[in-house]
Amino acid sequence: METRALVGAPRGSRAAILRAGKRGGTGAAKQRLTRFDQVTGSSYMVRWPAMLPVSPVLPRKSQLWAFWALLLVAWLSLTPWAVDHHHRCSWLVVLNKFERVGSHFSQDRFLDQEPMDTVAKVFEKLSDSPVDTQERYLGFPYYLQINFSCTGQVRIYTVKRMISNSEELARKGHLMGMRPVVLISYRYPVNFYRWKIENLQVQMEAAPLRSTEHCAAEAMCVLNWYTPMPIKNGSVVMSVDISSNGIGPFIPRKRFYMNMNGFLKRDANEKVIYTIGYESIVMKSNNFKKSKSRPLWYTINHAPVLILGGIEGEKALLITDTNFQDASLVELSIDSCWVGSYYCPMLSFSATIFDAISTESTLFIRQNQLVYYFTGRYSTLFDTSHSSSRWVRVLPTECIKKLCPVFVNGNGSEYVLALNTGIHEGYIHIGTITDGLVSFQMVPTGWSVCDMLSGTNCTIDWATYIADEKNLLLLLEILNENLDKVFYLLSFNLDTEALDILYILPQYVPQASGDFLVLLGTETYTNTLMIPEGLFFNTFNNILYIWGNFILQRCLLRPEEGTRNPGAGVLWCWLGIYLYNRVHFIYLADFPKEYTIKYMVNSYHGEMVFVTDKEEIWYFLEGGYDVYRLVPSSGWNTYVFLHKMEHSSLFGDREYLVSVFYEDGQLYQVMRLRDLPEKQHFARQELYHAPPPLVSQTLGFHNNKTLAVYQGLVYYLLWLHSKYDKPYADPVHDPTWRWWQHKKQYKDYYFYLSSNWLAAEGVYIDMSSYQKLYNISNDHGLPEIVFLDKGTSFSFTVFLSSQEDTLMSAATLGTTFQVEKKLAVAVVVADPDCLKATVKQEVLLNRKAVLYKIKIEDRKVCYDQGLSGHNLKKTSMMIKVLGSAGKCFQTTFLGTSMQGNLMVPVLIGCPPGKRLAFDVTYTILHSREINKHYFDCVKSNPEMPCFLFRDLFQPFFLVQDMVTGDSGSFLGSYLLKVVGGGHTLDTIRDYTEEEIFRYNSPLDNSESLIWKTKVERTTRDKKFYIMSYLSPGIEWLCLENSPCHDITPGNIFAPEFFLKLLVSNRGVDTSTYCDYQLIFILHMHGLPLSSNRSLFIVIVSISLLSGLVVFYILFCILWPHIVKAWASLRWKINNIMASESYYTYATSTAGFSVHSHTVSEESVKAPSKAGSAGGIAEAEKAQEA
């Protein structure tokens, strides 16, 4: 069997049919496709574009598969020409680990999420290169292995020959100079409170590398191209667009998804396995034969892993991290234990996973009445302690009958709704997911929704949540007094807990004579009961849908006078001729009441798909009223039959619809547009260019070392990007400026070494090629999404031409009437209170064409102020050529695209990529000018210069646009507050609100002010000063009760202090929606001492000095006397020492003399006279005798 996705869509929203069926094909074909299409075993995934032959290698452009049934005959007429004259090639991409580069058929899963220290040794050897060998260069865990497969005229050959043909084309392309161009786009995270919101892209050129497998050829056999697969903090959803540089075989651009999979781990044998259960190696057709199709529920644009349940009788899920380019069948490791109770009776038990929802980091499932969640390991989003090690059961005491998805995130979180039954019928559990942490809240508080309505058997059938408005929309069913079912549409606000009845649905399906019917309460009805099944609210165009065995839509808009001209006017709601308010619904009569819709899918770009309980697929274009049945239809049956006749291996006799979903958000224009705005600027896309280093190898092949250098360069480029978001502005507004600022002067020297084959490791790094690109104009068309600041606008021109002689003026009607009737354009804005649309018409009679100059402008009223990318207002703009739905198409050999309709989401608020920075360079220059000097700290820090306390401080700030590269002085008003401080950087603490008031407010009378200014303008409550670039400056005070007062010096230098300053224009600058909130540290030195401490130091100093003077005087006076006394003392001491010495000597001699007994008695008594001169003489004589 096979699981496959049928892919295609207009303007980039690709609708996909996921089918399972029985297939044929040779074993060789199966093996080859398996290896390239990233699935092991006998089951694999293949994608192809609709409205073309279903083949994995056809050129593909995102098209609307839905309208193939209408265009089959026109397309078939062009198919033979495309087959005979073009090599039909398709890109192939797999993920390779760092150590497996060069292995042709290797493939890895996206498990590792941290940078690796694998390239440092290579960079240490790059001595004569512009890189700094002292810096730490890291690498990423994975590479992208890129190749392509072609068929063309060799389609009748064996698969082996087809492979050889593709490899031959690859070799030829390489020798001609072909290089795949890789564009990696990072989806910003949900939690904008934790992460900076930015639309970052990295453009790389793939480096050629020969396969390391055995090859008999001398030069090369198998060739692949490689680029690093960069990882960015805060992003888990990444798309990879592969295109050619225009040399070699024509290969259309193709998009792949390389999302992080946080539900994988390695076992004891280093094998990658799932943490949520056990992966089945082979998917069998029996897994899907008994199962009906089911919806794919996930947070749009933010879910890296998608799951699909509903496999009958199986405790299993289909799981993918590549948007079903490949998929795995996983049996879940949950307990499946449930015992019914009086409050929650168990009517039946099944192992089937009934509901499955995926968010940015967490998976939710419902089995019977049990709800589980599993949080993946995403270290780039949050701490790994938030991750789950097993399935966690939530709401254990509740009886949950249904999970409802919330497709659009809001307020930095994602949401899931759980509907109760049993004792808590009428309550809703709102699950909130923030940084992987899950919490549930039951609403309403203390009362049930059913308590507010009269009737019995009350139950909530469906719920949807509008996160930005904190509003719940409920579809409620109840039995009235006549035992008839009555369905209510209710609104519940979480903040006010107000419950409102928005609409009571009719009991029967209306009787309509046309394509649609406005339900005013006066219409007639059929005998068919109206059975609603669900709700859907489109946040971008404010349209609410109720679906079941009918389709109702309501436009939540307010009409405006003077806009009823369908030719060149602005349409506020739906069709253009009719304007509706919040009350009336529109019944779409094209959908038959005999069928019941079981789920619907919205592209959020203007298209919708409905799937019925009989597995029929219906298509609807928002802004219109026509509903088309696609499958089954005569066109679809012919399409399948032709491919069976062609013996296509992708079609079988038995196939089972698994799911239908939309993919991608790119817009491929279907109208001729002119005078387009800067796409990169309005989409707020930051783009870096990072080509591989040049190598000295003869054939231009890289090796593992040069690819490691490429890894390190891309890593360092992204590191510079992340570090550039700092409060102090660099002298040059460019994140890459610091990389090469000291190396550019040696550029010619490095080029000389490379030209003479002397470069280290054979690598030449072109410094100028690693740059940020600001004005990319080669990508035509309107942006996928438009960001508007206060009062900003964008404009473009729609060109319409007619093949008929429709512009000939009639005698009675006139030319203008004919133009409006035949070539009319409608512009619809979802929120007319927020957006203003103007249309100017210009008729070109000689060209049988009409130009519509369209301008969309913000009205400056729908948004207050916020941080960059925070809580943006969601709305949209739609352009529609009236009467074109299902009738206007453009056909090329790439496929057929629908024309006449275009929807662009618009986000109002502070666009991502704008910031405020402290212009320290100009502030120092201005300080030197007004103070006539500038003194830095003794130990200067280039990253944080010092400012002298006694100098007047006048700060200047820059508004920097990270997307356009603009950097200019901030000329608006702002508030400046000291919000923290400390004696050192390590001791800085944040001040309380009370302290902030005392240290900054002119109303403070506690002697706590840190600064003051001569500015007279203050806030309305007089609490804080309002500053601007014209302000006279700041005078530092540091009064007695302030934290910077009376600082004890730590050394011989003057005291220092670090102030934490907050600058914000919120509430004082009305020129922008942006709250330019900046917090930076100011290093202040030369602080004075307090008067008491100064007086104490003076007294102590004077006392010490006086003491020294007195001591000196006394010393001078007494010194002669001291010298004389000292001399006398020394003489006496010498005499005493001499006498004692003689006495000791005389006594010692007498004791050892042999004549000691003849000594006279006088001589014995001589010592009594030893001190006289006579005594000494007599003693000497006695010794001589």
Side-chain angles (χ1 to χ4, degrees), residues 1013-1176:
T1013 180
K1014 295 181 180 179
V1015 173
E1016 297 180 356
R1017 185 184 175 194
T1018 61
T1019 56
R1020 292 183 179 180
D1021 53 10
K1022 307 294 183 182
K1023 288 185 177 181
F1024 300 103
Y1025 294 109
I1026 298 179
M1027 310 283 290
S1028 71
Y1029 76 102
L1030 297 175
S1031 300
I1034 291 174
E1035 179 184 350
W1036 301 112
L1037 298 178
C1038 289
L1039 296 183
E1040 181 178 357
N1041 295 322
S1042 66
C1044 57
H1045 177 75
D1046 193 19
I1047 298 177
T1048 305
N1051 46 42
I1052 63 174
F1053 303 110
E1056 299 178 351
F1057 197 80
F1058 293 87
L1059 294 174
K1060 188 176 184 180
L1061 302 182
L1062 168 65
V1063 176
S1064 175
N1065 67 329
R1066 185 176 182 85
V1068 297
D1069 179 23
T1070 59
S1071 63
T1072 178
Y1073 285 139
C1074 290
D1075 177 6
Y1076 290 127
Q1077 189 177 108
L1078 171 67
I1079 298 177
F1080 66 100
I1081 306 299
L1082 186 71
H1083 190 183
M1084 189 167 53
H1085 71 122
L1087 275 72
L1089 302 174
S1090 65
S1091 57
N1092 293 336
R1093 187 177 296 274
S1094 299
L1095 179 60
F1096 173 77
I1097 292 176
V1098 169
I1099 292 175
V1100 172
S1101 301
I1102 292 177
S1103 300
L1104 291 175
L1105 182 60
S1106 300
L1108 290 175
V1109 171
V1110 171
F1111 177 77
Y1112 177 74
I1113 294 174
L1114 293 176
F1115 180 78
C1116 292
I1117 295 175
L1118 299 177
W1119 178 250
H1121 300 282
I1122 294 173
V1123 172
K1124 187 177 180 180
W1126 173 248
S1128 175
L1129 180 61
R1130 287 183 62 191
W1131 182 79
K1132 291 181 179 181
I1133 292 174
N1134 290 335
N1135 286 340
I1136 294 173
M1137 291 178 65
S1139 299
E1140 290 293 335
S1141 177
Y1142 173 76
Y1143 171 75
T1144 303
Y1145 175 74
T1147 304
S1148 176
T1149 304
F1152 287 94
S1153 175
V1154 297
H1155 303 289
S1156 59
H1157 297 287
T1158 61
V1159 178
S1160 62
E1161 185 178 350
E1162 289 82 0
S1163 63
V1164 176
K1165 296 179 180 180
S1168 62
K1169 297 178 182 180
S1172 63
I1176 295 173

Side-chain angles (χ1 to χ4, degrees), residues 242 295 781:
I242 312 293

Side-chain angles (χ1 to χ4, degrees), residues 218-434:
E218 181 179 353
M220 56 177 170
C221 279
V222 179
L223 165 68
N224 292 296
W225 288 269
Y226 289 87
T227 66
M229 182 61 213
I231 297 173
K232 176 182 173 295
N233 283 335
S235 296
V236 294
V237 176
M238 291 160 285
S239 63
V240 179
D241 291 294
I242 312 293
S243 60
S244 174
N245 62 349
I247 302 176
F250 172 74
I251 310 176
R253 176 189 292 262
K254 189 174 182 180
R255 171 167 291 186
F256 299 85
Y257 282 90
M258 295 294 172
N259 301 332
M260 292 185 184
N261 195 332
F263 305 94
L264 297 172
K265 66 177 182 179
R266 289 187 174 88
D267 60 9
N269 298 322
E270 294 297 314
K271 181 182 177 181
V272 177
I273 61 174
Y274 277 95
T275 57
I276 62 175
Y278 307 98
E279 181 178 4
S280 176
I281 299 178
V282 179
M283 285 186 286
K284 300 179 180 179
S285 58
N286 292 333
N287 297 130
F288 305 96
K289 182 168 59 176
K290 299 180 181 179
S291 304
K292 299 294 184 179
S293 70
R294 70 289 271 162
L296 188 66
W297 288 343
Y298 58 96
T299 306
I300 60 169
N301 299 327
H302 291 284
V305 173
L306 305 180
I307 57 175
L308 192 63
I311 302 175
E312 188 68 28
E314 297 289 340
K315 188 174 55 176
L317 292 174
L318 276 178
I319 183 169
T320 177
D321 54 16
T322 59
N323 277 32
F324 285 101
Q325 290 172 349
D326 56 28
S328 300
L329 183 65
V330 178
E331 182 180 354
L332 304 184
S333 53
I334 55 177
D335 49 24
S336 301
C337 180
W338 174 253
V339 179
S341 66
Y342 174 76
Y343 299 108
C344 187
M346 182 176 63
L347 300 180
S348 61
F349 176 84
S350 174
T352 306
I353 305 299
F354 293 102
D355 300 325
I357 302 174
S358 55
T359 66
E360 186 180 44
S361 60
T362 307
L363 306 179
F364 290 86
I365 61 170
R366 179 182 68 87
Q367 185 192 45
N368 300 311
Q369 291 86 14
L370 307 179
V371 177
Y372 301 85
Y373 77 86
F374 198 108
T375 300
R377 179 188 171 275
Y378 288 103
S379 58
T380 59
L381 285 179
F382 44 75
D383 190 88
T384 54
S385 61
H386 298 180
S387 305
S388 303
S389 58
R390 57 179 178 83
W391 286 97
V392 180
R393 183 181 170 188
V394 291
L395 306 174
T397 61
E398 302 294 334
C399 187
I400 305 301
K401 65 179 179 181
K402 182 180 294 184
L403 291 180
C404 293
V406 179
F407 297 102
V408 181
N409 61 287
N411 302 313
S413 300
E414 298 167 283
Y415 305 92
V416 171
L417 304 179
L419 304 185
N420 262 348
T421 188
I423 189 174
H424 285 158
E425 183 73 67
Y427 291 89
I428 304 98
H429 293 273
I430 301 179
T432 304
I433 307 97
T434 307

Side-chain angles (χ1 to χ4, degrees), residues 91-155:
W91 293 109
L92 304 170
V93 175
V94 295
L95 207 63
N96 278 174
K97 291 194 65 175
F98 193 94
E99 58 271 13
R100 297 177 65 180
V101 170
S103 180
H104 183 49
F105 293 115
S106 65
Q107 174 199 342
D108 294 284
R109 288 174 169 174
F110 210 141
L111 168 62
D112 300 320
Q113 305 173 16
E114 299 291 338
M116 304 172 63
D117 189 7
T118 53
V119 302
K121 294 182 179 179
V122 179
F123 275 86
E124 291 175 357
K125 301 177 182 179
L126 301 181
S127 55
D128 290 327
S129 297
V131 298
D132 187 355
T133 56
Q134 302 301 321
E135 289 284 353
R136 187 187 182 193
Y137 286 85
L138 299 178
F140 301 104
Y142 301 102
Y143 285 92
L144 292 176
Q145 183 192 98
I146 303 170
N147 211 311
F148 60 88
S149 175
C150 299
T151 54
Q153 297 178 352
V154 297
R155 60 180 178 177

Side-chain angles (χ1 to χ4, degrees), residues 544-593:
L544 174 67
Y545 297 91
I546 306 178
W547 43 268
N549 61 341
F550 60 92
I551 303 175
L552 295 183
Q553 73 170 3
R554 188 179 72 176
C555 189
L556 304 181
L557 296 177
R558 183 175 62 206
E560 183 172 90
E561 297 297 330
T563 59
R564 297 179 180 270
N565 185 351
V570 180
L571 309 180
W572 296 133
C573 183
W574 195 55
L575 190 57
I577 301 175
Y578 304 94
L579 301 176
Y580 301 100
N581 55 25
R582 298 176 62 96
V583 177
H584 300 129
F585 272 89
I586 302 169
Y587 170 67
L588 302 181
D590 280 354
F591 184 78
K593 61 183 181 298

Side-chain angles (χ1 to χ4, degrees), residues 655-847:
E655 292 187 333
Y656 312 103
L657 181 64
V658 178
S659 186
V660 178
F661 61 97
Y662 277 95
E663 181 188 58
D664 287 351
Q666 289 186 351
L667 297 177
Y668 292 92
Q669 307 310 325
V670 293
M671 290 180 278
R672 297 175 63 181
L673 304 179
R674 298 180 177 180
D675 306 323
L676 295 170
E678 291 285 348
K679 183 174 181 179
Q680 181 189 12
H681 295 176
F682 281 95
R684 308 302 298 171
Q685 294 173 340
E686 298 184 56
L687 177 62
Y688 286 93
H689 181 63
L694 300 179
V695 294
S696 302
Q697 207 270 349
T698 307
L699 296 177
F701 287 109
H702 285 248
N703 54 44
N704 288 27
K705 292 184 178 180
T706 58
L707 287 180
V709 173
Y710 197 10
Q711 281 266 18
L713 293 175
V714 175
Y715 170 84
Y716 201 77
L717 182 66
L718 292 180
W719 182 83
L720 288 173
H721 169 79
S722 63
K723 293 300 180 182
Y724 190 71
D725 186 23
K726 58 182 181 178
Y728 280 70
D730 282 340
V732 179
H733 180 42
D734 187 357
T736 63
W737 170 74
R738 289 182 176 270
W739 198 356
W740 317 114
Q741 60 174 325
H742 302 303
K743 298 286 187 178
K744 283 192 174 182
Q745 55 184 329
Y746 307 113
K747 180 179 180 180
D748 294 336
Y749 170 69
Y750 299 137
F751 182 75
Y752 166 79
L753 293 177
S754 177
S755 302
N756 290 274
W757 306 81
L758 300 175
E761 299 296 325
V763 173
Y764 171 66
I765 301 172
D766 185 5
M767 293 178 284
S768 60
S769 62
Y770 292 85
Q771 58 182 325
K772 191 172 186 179
L773 306 179
Y774 294 105
N775 297 288
I776 303 299
S777 58
N778 58 355
D779 194 0
H780 302 288
L782 285 175
E784 300 175 13
I785 191 168
V786 172
F787 294 84
L788 290 182
D789 198 354
K790 191 170 187 178
T792 57
S793 64
F794 67 99
S795 59
F796 54 94
T797 301
V798 177
F799 179 85
L800 297 180
S801 61
S802 175
Q803 301 299 324
E804 300 177 3
D805 195 13
T806 59
L807 300 184
M808 297 296 294
S809 59
T812 58
L813 299 178
T815 303
T816 304
F817 177 82
Q818 293 293 326
V819 171
E820 290 184 352
K821 183 178 180 181
K822 298 291 184 179
L823 299 175
V825 168
V827 180
V828 182
V829 289
D831 291 278
D833 292 336
C834 304
L835 293 178
K836 176 183 178 182
T838 57
V839 181
K840 294 183 180 179
Q841 182 189 85
E842 181 180 348
V843 180
L844 305 176
L845 290 175
N846 58 336
R847 301 182 62 181

Side-chain angles (χ1 to χ4, degrees), residues 380-551:
T380 59
L381 285 179
F382 44 75
D383 190 88
T384 54
S385 61
H386 298 180
S387 305
S388 303
S389 58
R390 57 179 178 83
W391 286 97
V392 180
R393 183 181 170 188
V394 291
L395 306 174
T397 61
E398 302 294 334
C399 187
I400 305 301
K401 65 179 179 181
K402 182 180 294 184
L403 291 180
C404 293
V406 179
F407 297 102
V408 181
N409 61 287
N411 302 313
S413 300
E414 298 167 283
Y415 305 92
V416 171
L417 304 179
L419 304 185
N420 262 348
T421 188
I423 189 174
H424 285 158
E425 183 73 67
Y427 291 89
I428 304 98
H429 293 273
I430 301 179
T432 304
I433 307 97
T434 307
D435 286 341
L437 299 178
V438 180
S439 61
F440 277 88
Q441 173 191 5
M442 188 171 72
V443 294
T445 304
W447 53 277
S448 168
V449 173
C450 295
D451 297 340
M452 302 293 106
L453 301 172
S454 60
T456 59
N457 293 351
C458 174
T459 180
I460 298 177
D461 292 336
W462 197 272
T464 185
Y465 183 55
I466 308 174
D468 294 336
E469 302 175 6
K470 295 186 177 180
N471 195 36
L472 272 171
L473 297 178
L474 308 175
L475 180 62
L476 185 140
E477 174 187 343
I478 198 169
L479 291 180
N480 61 13
E481 57 186 7
N482 298 326
L483 299 182
D484 295 327
K485 289 185 178 181
V486 180
F487 294 91
Y488 290 86
L489 176 64
L490 305 177
S491 173
F492 177 78
N493 187 273
L494 267 64
D495 289 336
T496 63
E497 292 204 349
L499 182 67
D500 298 320
I501 299 177
L502 299 182
Y503 188 66
I504 301 177
L505 275 69
Q507 186 176 1
Y508 297 97
V509 176
Q511 180 71 48
S513 57
D515 296 323
F516 66 94
L517 177 66
V518 181
L519 302 183
L520 302 175
T522 59
E523 55 276 351
T524 59
Y525 295 91
T526 65
N527 295 326
T528 303
L529 289 174
M530 183 175 279
I531 306 174
E533 296 290 340
L535 301 174
F536 178 80
F537 179 76
N538 192 331
T539 310
F540 290 94
N541 59 16
N542 296 328
I543 297 181
L544 174 67
Y545 297 91
I546 306 178
W547 43 268
N549 61 341
F550 60 92
I551 303 175

